[in-house]
Amino acid sequence: MTNQELHDQMVAAMKAKDKVRLSIIRQVMAEVKNVEVNERRDATEEDVNSMIKRLIKQTNETLEMSRKAGNNQERTDTLEEQVKILESLLPAQLSGDALVELIERTIAEVGATTRKDMGKVMGALNKATGGNFDKAAAAKEVGARLS
């Protein structure tokens, strides 16, 4: 997602009076602004997606702690909604047949033959997709193909 797309999402959330979505988008925009100020450069689409992924991770950790505490269901529900909103901001993850096809091509390109080559394959997949794939499913598929 580009910075402009993020801004458009914020405007749409304002018009829809969606306070939760607006709050999350503002949080992402603040993180992106920090990158721009601290590194003195414009944020790239990769930077924006990286910020969103980091916020998803942080929110999931908070959500897990909230579930363990088990004392505030309203907070847990809000955190779950925030994770869904953040995930909707990311491009769709590569999975299913498209992922299997990419795995087959990558194994051939890397020349992987044993499980020792799994790291090379996963690294190449990460580079090819920008980390935007179902890593657990990919690891299982790569492990099955390499013996």
Side-chain angles (χ1 to χ4, degrees), residues 22-73:
L22 180 61
S23 169
I24 292 297
I25 292 171
R26 282 185 171 157
Q27 188 176 5
V28 173
M29 289 185 75
E31 292 287 330
V32 170
K33 191 69 169 172
N34 282 340
V35 167
E36 291 178 338
V37 169
N38 292 339
E39 298 181 16
R40 296 185 180 146
R41 64 178 175 85
D42 288 335
T44 63
E45 187 172 347
E46 189 175 300
D47 290 330
V48 174
N49 287 339
S50 173
M51 295 299 152
I52 293 170
K53 288 177 185 176
R54 194 171 83 226
L55 286 172
I56 288 172
K57 183 179 177 188
Q58 289 173 350
T59 307
N60 274 329
E61 289 170 357
T62 306
L63 176 60
E64 194 59 39
M65 297 302 261
S66 179
R67 286 182 178 149
K68 284 182 183 176
N71 56 359
N72 192 345
Q73 187 60 40

Side-chain angles (χ1 to χ4, degrees), residues 69-88:
N71 56 359
N72 192 345
Q73 187 60 40
E74 184 179 331
R75 171 121 171 97
T76 303
D77 293 342
T78 302
L79 288 169
E80 287 172 349
E81 185 179 354
Q82 289 175 352
V83 169
K84 287 178 187 171
I85 291 169
L86 285 166
E87 288 173 345
S88 74

Side-chain angles (χ1 to χ4, degrees), residues 1-8 43-46 48-49 89:
M1 173 166 282
T2 64
N3 213 355
Q4 184 59 44
E5 290 171 336
L6 198 57
H7 185 268
D8 294 343
T44 63
E45 187 172 347
E46 189 175 300
V48 174
N49 287 339
L89 296 175

